[in-house]
Amino acid sequence: MNSTIYLIIGRYGAGKNTLIDTFCNKYGYSKLCSYTTRQPSESDEANRHTYTDIEQYLTDVDNDDVLAYTKLMGDYYWSTFDQIENADFYIIDRAGLDNFKRNYTGSKKYTTIYIQTDKITCLNRLIHKCEDISIDTMKNILSKNEINGTKYIDEQLISLCDFTIDNNGGIKESIAKLKEIVDKTNTEG
């Protein structure tokens, strides 16, 4: 664990989890698994979320422990202050990023990284990953690229981030770019 939390943002299917999981496994970093009230689906992979219930969310809110949060399709997703202090990477959406920037008062500095992937690549990845799901479910996933009326428009999100990684190619190139960013921000002190 280091003194920086890396906030990772990008559209659905950009390869955020694959990139961060691979990087963390290779270099010994940790990824925050946000809490969610949604039920796990058959296509969910391990280490993406901590599945819980609305009572846990309300308890965390009552204890002023919710740092970043968003609500998607009726389900809550959130992180706590303690999770942030004990993680190196946090995959977050636009609403969560806005909440994080507004609410975080901890000791870590934060660096935002946008994972840029073209729409066709994202769609192909989603189809490959979720080949057993219906068209309606796929549309539902793709509609998550619009949250709270804000579309995931690359230029808008890039302008909010410190760095951008083009993730249209192979994972080795993206890992190398991420390593370069981590090394650079750790030496900037």
Side-chain angles (χ1 to χ4, degrees):
M1 182 173 61
N2 68 58
S3 61
T4 301
I5 182 81
Y6 296 93
L7 306 174
I8 308 300
I9 191 166
R11 65 174 82 236
Y12 286 87
K16 301 178 299 289
N17 278 289
T18 300
L19 175 61
I20 299 308
D21 289 344
T22 304
F23 186 87
C24 288
N25 288 335
K26 183 172 183 172
Y27 294 107
Y29 288 91
S30 63
K31 179 180 90 171
L32 185 151
C33 295
S34 60
Y35 291 104
T36 182
T37 58
R38 83 167 170 83
Q39 295 299 306
S41 67
E42 289 180 25
S43 64
D44 280 341
E45 297 172 22
N47 300 325
R48 293 249 171 131
H49 298 291
T50 300
Y51 299 95
T52 186
D53 55 29
I54 190 67
E55 287 77 23
Q56 181 64 53
Y57 175 73
L58 295 173
T59 298
D60 287 347
V61 168
D62 287 345
N63 292 333
D64 286 330
D65 201 28
V66 173
L67 173 64
Y69 62 91
T70 193
K71 187 175 181 183
L72 295 171
M73 299 167 53
D75 294 306
Y76 292 92
Y77 295 77
W78 74 98
S79 63
T80 64
F81 287 92
D82 188 52
Q83 285 180 301
I84 295 294
E85 295 303 311
N86 291 300
D88 299 306
F89 289 89
Y90 180 19
I91 297 171
I92 193 167
D93 72 358
R94 169 66 190 271
L97 179 62
D98 291 343
N99 285 309
F100 181 95
K101 288 181 173 183
R102 189 172 36 253
N103 298 328
Y104 184 64
T105 58
S107 60
K108 286 188 167 193
K109 60 183 180 175
Y110 63 88
T111 298
T112 53
I113 303 171
Y114 183 67
I115 308 302
Q116 186 173 26
T117 312
D118 65 60
K119 292 176 187 177
I120 298 299
T121 300
C122 289
L123 183 58
N124 285 334
R125 287 176 180 165
L126 286 170
I127 290 169
H128 177 72
K129 176 184 160 193
C130 306
E131 54 192 35
D132 61 332
I133 64 173
S134 71
I135 296 295
D136 286 341
T137 303
M138 183 64 73
K139 286 179 184 175
N140 207 2
I141 291 169
L142 293 173
S143 74
K144 290 180 182 180
N145 282 329
E146 183 172 331
I147 297 170
N148 298 333
T150 303
K151 288 190 180 237
Y152 271 74
I153 299 171
D154 285 341
E155 294 78 19
Q156 290 175 346
L157 291 175
I158 289 169
S159 71
L160 298 174
C161 294
D162 301 307
F163 297 94
T164 300
I165 296 175
D166 181 327
N167 199 30
N168 287 299
I171 192 157
K172 286 183 181 181
E173 293 84 3
S174 296
I175 293 284
K177 178 66 175 171
L178 183 56
K179 180 76 166 100
E180 184 181 302
I181 292 168
V182 168
D183 290 348
K184 178 181 179 5
T185 55
N186 281 334
T187 59
E188 289 177 350

